[in-house]
């Protein structure tokens, strides 16, 4: 586990801090297929290993939004905020997908707590995140995430 803070005051003190990296997780074909079933996005580049093997990436690739959806479970490894009643995903300022995640690849999150700002009854955090591909020259995703924590 990464950093644990108790309450909003301790969280505010972390503004500008590097949060480190999560553990690596493998992106399996089963995970990709499950995401395709959940979203209805069954494009061959994701779910047809034979055809995708002959495609531009030489293997099936994860949906960009699957990669993005893994931000939350990876982020919970970096920062645990105790002493709050509610944690809410507030949105994203920007997202880019510089490199595809091939099936069987391992990814992890590197995060930085860019800002902590007061909002009514709580705080809003801005996290600069990079989802890295093990051995990859470029990251799978670069994003800025917003979350709110309420006392």
């Amino acid at each position: 586990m990464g950093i644990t803070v108790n309450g909003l005051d301790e969280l505010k003190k972390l503004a500008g801090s590097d949060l480190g990296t999560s553990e690596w997780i493998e992106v399996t074909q089963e995970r990709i297929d499950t995401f395709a079933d959940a979203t209805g996005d069954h494009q061959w580049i994701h779910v047809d290993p034979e055809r995708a093997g002959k495609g531009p990436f030489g293997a099936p690739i994860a949906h960009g939004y699957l990669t993005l959806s893994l931000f939350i479970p990876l982020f919970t490894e970096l920062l645990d905020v105790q002493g709050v009643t509610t944690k809410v995903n507030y949105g994203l300022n920007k997202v880019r997908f510089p490199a595809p995640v091939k099936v069987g690849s391992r990814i992890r999150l590197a995060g930085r707590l860019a800002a902590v700002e007061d909002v009514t009854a709580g705080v809003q955090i801005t996290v600069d995140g990079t989802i890295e591909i093990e051995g990859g020259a470029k990251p799978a995703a670069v994003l800025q995430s917003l979350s709110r924590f309420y006392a």
Side-chain angles (χ1 to χ4, degrees):
M1 187 54 152
I3 300 167
T4 299
V5 296
N6 190 7
L8 301 180
D9 289 336
E10 284 187 25
L11 181 58
K12 289 176 185 180
K13 292 176 185 175
L14 284 180
S17 296
D18 180 10
L19 300 173
T21 56
S22 68
E23 295 295 321
W24 293 102
I25 62 167
E26 183 179 356
V27 178
T28 64
Q29 187 65 54
E30 179 181 12
R31 185 184 294 263
I32 292 169
D33 292 344
T34 299
F35 187 85
D37 289 342
T39 62
D41 181 353
H42 292 94
Q43 185 181 16
W44 64 268
I45 197 103
H46 307 301
V47 299
D48 185 339
E50 186 175 327
R51 186 173 175 195
K54 298 172 187 169
F57 304 108
I61 60 169
H63 306 71
Y65 287 117
L66 167 57
T67 302
L68 181 60
S69 74
L70 294 172
F71 171 80
I72 292 297
L74 294 171
F75 179 71
T76 60
E77 292 183 29
L78 302 184
L79 181 63
D80 181 24
V81 181
Q82 299 289 314
V84 295
T85 61
T86 308
K87 303 172 185 179
V88 178
N89 175 5
Y90 192 67
L92 300 161
N93 283 338
K94 54 187 166 185
V95 178
R96 296 290 182 267
F97 301 110
V101 178
K102 293 181 183 180
V103 68
S105 296
R106 293 188 341 147
I107 62 171
R108 72 177 179 186
L109 174 66
R112 181 179 157 284
L113 186 57
V116 181
E117 302 168 278
D118 288 321
V119 296
T120 302
V123 298
Q124 177 173 293
I125 67 169
T126 303
V127 175
D128 292 332
T130 302
I131 298 178
E132 303 170 338
I133 304 169
E134 188 175 39
K138 294 181 180 180
V142 179
L143 61 119
Q144 192 171 68
S145 172
L146 306 173
S147 299
R148 289 191 173 183
F149 297 84
Y150 296 98

Short mmCIF file of all heavy atoms in Angstrom, two decimals, residues 24-29 31-32 59-62 70 100-108 132-136 140:
data_model
loop_
_atom_site.label_atom_id
_atom_site.label_comp_id
_atom_site.label_asym_id
_atom_site.label_seq_id
_atom_site.Cartn_x
_atom_site.Cartn_y
_atom_site.Cartn_z
N TRP A 24 2.28 -3.81 -10.75
CA TRP A 24 1.95 -4.13 -12.14
C TRP A 24 0.72 -5.04 -12.16
O TRP A 24 0.58 -5.91 -11.29
CB TRP A 24 3.10 -4.87 -12.81
CG TRP A 24 4.34 -4.06 -13.00
CD1 TRP A 24 5.47 -4.11 -12.25
CD2 TRP A 24 4.58 -3.07 -14.01
NE1 TRP A 24 6.41 -3.22 -12.74
CE2 TRP A 24 5.88 -2.58 -13.81
CE3 TRP A 24 3.82 -2.56 -15.06
CZ2 TRP A 24 6.45 -1.60 -14.62
CZ3 TRP A 24 4.38 -1.59 -15.88
CH2 TRP A 24 5.68 -1.12 -15.66
N ILE A 25 -0.16 -4.84 -13.14
CA ILE A 25 -1.26 -5.78 -13.38
C ILE A 25 -1.23 -6.19 -14.84
O ILE A 25 -0.88 -5.39 -15.72
CB ILE A 25 -2.65 -5.22 -13.00
CG1 ILE A 25 -3.00 -3.99 -13.83
CG2 ILE A 25 -2.74 -4.92 -11.52
CD1 ILE A 25 -4.46 -3.59 -13.73
N GLU A 26 -1.59 -7.43 -15.10
CA GLU A 26 -1.62 -7.94 -16.47
C GLU A 26 -2.97 -7.65 -17.11
O GLU A 26 -4.02 -7.83 -16.48
CB GLU A 26 -1.35 -9.44 -16.49
CG GLU A 26 -1.29 -10.00 -17.89
CD GLU A 26 -1.00 -11.50 -17.94
OE1 GLU A 26 -0.78 -12.11 -16.88
OE2 GLU A 26 -1.01 -12.04 -19.06
N VAL A 27 -2.92 -7.23 -18.34
CA VAL A 27 -4.15 -7.02 -19.11
C VAL A 27 -4.34 -8.27 -19.97
O VAL A 27 -3.67 -8.45 -20.99
CB VAL A 27 -4.07 -5.74 -19.97
CG1 VAL A 27 -5.33 -5.57 -20.79
CG2 VAL A 27 -3.82 -4.52 -19.09
N THR A 28 -5.26 -9.12 -19.53
CA THR A 28 -5.50 -10.41 -20.18
C THR A 28 -6.59 -10.29 -21.24
O THR A 28 -7.38 -9.33 -21.25
CB THR A 28 -5.94 -11.44 -19.14
OG1 THR A 28 -7.20 -11.01 -18.58
CG2 THR A 28 -4.91 -11.61 -18.03
N GLN A 29 -6.64 -11.29 -22.11
CA GLN A 29 -7.72 -11.33 -23.10
C GLN A 29 -9.06 -11.46 -22.40
O GLN A 29 -10.05 -10.86 -22.83
CB GLN A 29 -7.52 -12.49 -24.09
CG GLN A 29 -8.52 -12.49 -25.23
CD GLN A 29 -8.37 -11.27 -26.13
OE1 GLN A 29 -7.30 -10.99 -26.63
NE2 GLN A 29 -9.46 -10.54 -26.34
N ARG A 31 -9.94 -10.15 -19.54
CA ARG A 31 -10.32 -8.80 -19.06
C ARG A 31 -10.85 -7.96 -20.23
O ARG A 31 -11.83 -7.25 -20.11
CB ARG A 31 -9.13 -8.11 -18.40
CG ARG A 31 -9.47 -6.76 -17.77
CD ARG A 31 -8.25 -6.07 -17.20
NE ARG A 31 -7.66 -6.74 -16.08
CZ ARG A 31 -7.90 -6.44 -14.79
NH1 ARG A 31 -8.72 -5.47 -14.48
NH2 ARG A 31 -7.30 -7.10 -13.84
N ILE A 32 -10.16 -8.05 -21.37
CA ILE A 32 -10.58 -7.29 -22.56
C ILE A 32 -11.97 -7.76 -23.02
O ILE A 32 -12.85 -6.94 -23.31
CB ILE A 32 -9.53 -7.43 -23.68
CG1 ILE A 32 -8.24 -6.71 -23.29
CG2 ILE A 32 -10.08 -6.90 -25.00
CD1 ILE A 32 -7.05 -7.01 -24.20
N ALA A 59 -1.32 -8.09 -32.33
CA ALA A 59 -1.99 -8.77 -31.22
C ALA A 59 -3.24 -7.97 -30.88
O ALA A 59 -3.34 -6.79 -31.25
CB ALA A 59 -1.07 -8.85 -30.00
N PRO A 60 -4.17 -8.59 -30.16
CA PRO A 60 -5.30 -7.79 -29.66
C PRO A 60 -4.79 -6.72 -28.71
O PRO A 60 -3.78 -6.90 -28.02
CB PRO A 60 -6.17 -8.81 -28.91
CG PRO A 60 -5.72 -10.15 -29.39
CD PRO A 60 -4.28 -10.00 -29.77
N ILE A 61 -5.51 -5.60 -28.68
CA ILE A 61 -5.16 -4.51 -27.77
C ILE A 61 -6.36 -4.19 -26.88
O ILE A 61 -7.51 -4.40 -27.25
CB ILE A 61 -4.70 -3.24 -28.52
CG1 ILE A 61 -5.80 -2.71 -29.45
CG2 ILE A 61 -3.40 -3.51 -29.27
CD1 ILE A 61 -5.52 -1.33 -30.03
N ALA A 62 -6.06 -3.66 -25.70
CA ALA A 62 -7.10 -3.24 -24.77
C ALA A 62 -7.79 -1.99 -25.31
O ALA A 62 -7.17 -1.18 -25.99
CB ALA A 62 -6.50 -2.94 -23.40
N LEU A 70 -8.99 1.37 -15.41
CA LEU A 70 -8.09 0.77 -14.43
C LEU A 70 -7.39 1.81 -13.56
O LEU A 70 -6.73 1.46 -12.58
CB LEU A 70 -7.08 -0.15 -15.13
CG LEU A 70 -7.72 -1.37 -15.79
CD1 LEU A 70 -6.70 -2.11 -16.64
CD2 LEU A 70 -8.36 -2.28 -14.75
N PRO A 100 -0.78 1.68 -27.52
CA PRO A 100 -1.76 0.63 -27.24
C PRO A 100 -1.23 -0.37 -26.21
O PRO A 100 -0.02 -0.58 -26.11
CB PRO A 100 -1.97 -0.03 -28.60
CG PRO A 100 -0.66 0.16 -29.31
CD PRO A 100 -0.16 1.51 -28.83
N VAL A 101 -2.16 -0.98 -25.48
CA VAL A 101 -1.82 -2.01 -24.52
C VAL A 101 -2.14 -3.36 -25.16
O VAL A 101 -3.32 -3.71 -25.31
CB VAL A 101 -2.60 -1.85 -23.20
CG1 VAL A 101 -2.26 -2.98 -22.23
CG2 VAL A 101 -2.31 -0.49 -22.57
N LYS A 102 -1.11 -4.09 -25.57
CA LYS A 102 -1.31 -5.40 -26.17
C LYS A 102 -1.72 -6.41 -25.11
O LYS A 102 -1.28 -6.32 -23.95
CB LYS A 102 -0.04 -5.88 -26.87
CG LYS A 102 0.34 -5.06 -28.08
CD LYS A 102 1.60 -5.61 -28.72
CE LYS A 102 2.04 -4.76 -29.89
NZ LYS A 102 3.26 -5.31 -30.51
N VAL A 103 -2.54 -7.37 -25.51
CA VAL A 103 -2.94 -8.43 -24.59
C VAL A 103 -1.69 -9.08 -23.99
O VAL A 103 -0.68 -9.26 -24.68
CB VAL A 103 -3.84 -9.47 -25.30
CG1 VAL A 103 -3.08 -10.27 -26.35
CG2 VAL A 103 -4.51 -10.39 -24.30
N GLY A 104 -1.73 -9.35 -22.71
CA GLY A 104 -0.60 -9.94 -22.01
C GLY A 104 0.38 -8.92 -21.44
O GLY A 104 1.27 -9.28 -20.67
N SER A 105 0.21 -7.65 -21.81
CA SER A 105 1.08 -6.60 -21.27
C SER A 105 0.77 -6.36 -19.80
O SER A 105 -0.35 -6.62 -19.33
CB SER A 105 0.88 -5.28 -22.03
OG SER A 105 1.27 -5.40 -23.35
N ARG A 106 1.75 -5.83 -19.10
CA ARG A 106 1.53 -5.41 -17.72
C ARG A 106 1.59 -3.89 -17.65
O ARG A 106 2.45 -3.28 -18.29
CB ARG A 106 2.56 -6.05 -16.79
CG ARG A 106 2.38 -7.54 -16.71
CD ARG A 106 3.20 -8.29 -15.69
NE ARG A 106 4.36 -7.63 -15.16
CZ ARG A 106 4.81 -7.79 -13.91
NH1 ARG A 106 4.17 -8.56 -13.07
NH2 ARG A 106 5.90 -7.17 -13.51
N ILE A 107 0.67 -3.33 -16.87
CA ILE A 107 0.62 -1.87 -16.71
C ILE A 107 0.64 -1.52 -15.24
O ILE A 107 0.32 -2.34 -14.37
CB ILE A 107 -0.63 -1.26 -17.39
CG1 ILE A 107 -1.92 -1.81 -16.76
CG2 ILE A 107 -0.60 -1.51 -18.90
CD1 ILE A 107 -3.19 -1.11 -17.23
N ARG A 108 1.02 -0.28 -14.97
CA ARG A 108 0.98 0.26 -13.61
C ARG A 108 0.74 1.76 -13.70
O ARG A 108 0.90 2.37 -14.77
CB ARG A 108 2.25 -0.03 -12.83
CG ARG A 108 3.44 0.77 -13.28
CD ARG A 108 4.65 0.48 -12.43
NE ARG A 108 5.81 1.24 -12.89
CZ ARG A 108 7.02 1.11 -12.40
NH1 ARG A 108 7.26 0.26 -11.43
NH2 ARG A 108 8.02 1.84 -12.88
N GLU A 132 1.76 3.32 -17.23
CA GLU A 132 2.94 2.84 -17.92
C GLU A 132 2.76 1.41 -18.39
O GLU A 132 2.05 0.64 -17.74
CB GLU A 132 4.15 2.90 -16.98
CG GLU A 132 4.42 4.28 -16.41
CD GLU A 132 5.47 4.28 -15.30
OE1 GLU A 132 5.71 3.22 -14.67
OE2 GLU A 132 6.06 5.35 -15.07
N ILE A 133 3.39 1.08 -19.51
CA ILE A 133 3.42 -0.29 -20.02
C ILE A 133 4.82 -0.84 -19.73
O ILE A 133 5.82 -0.22 -20.10
CB ILE A 133 3.16 -0.33 -21.53
CG1 ILE A 133 1.83 0.34 -21.87
CG2 ILE A 133 3.20 -1.78 -22.03
CD1 ILE A 133 1.62 0.57 -23.36
N GLU A 134 4.87 -1.97 -19.06
CA GLU A 134 6.17 -2.56 -18.73
C GLU A 134 6.99 -2.76 -20.00
O GLU A 134 6.53 -3.41 -20.95
CB GLU A 134 5.96 -3.88 -18.00
CG GLU A 134 7.23 -4.48 -17.45
CD GLU A 134 6.97 -5.73 -16.63
OE1 GLU A 134 6.09 -6.54 -17.02
OE2 GLU A 134 7.65 -5.91 -15.61
N GLY A 135 8.18 -2.17 -20.03
CA GLY A 135 9.08 -2.29 -21.17
C GLY A 135 8.71 -1.41 -22.35
O GLY A 135 9.38 -1.44 -23.38
N GLY A 136 7.65 -0.60 -22.20
CA GLY A 136 7.20 0.23 -23.30
C GLY A 136 7.93 1.56 -23.38
O GLY A 136 8.30 2.13 -22.36
N ALA A 140 0.72 4.04 -21.82
CA ALA A 140 -0.59 3.66 -22.34
C ALA A 140 -1.56 4.82 -22.23
O ALA A 140 -2.40 5.02 -23.10
CB ALA A 140 -1.14 2.46 -21.59
#
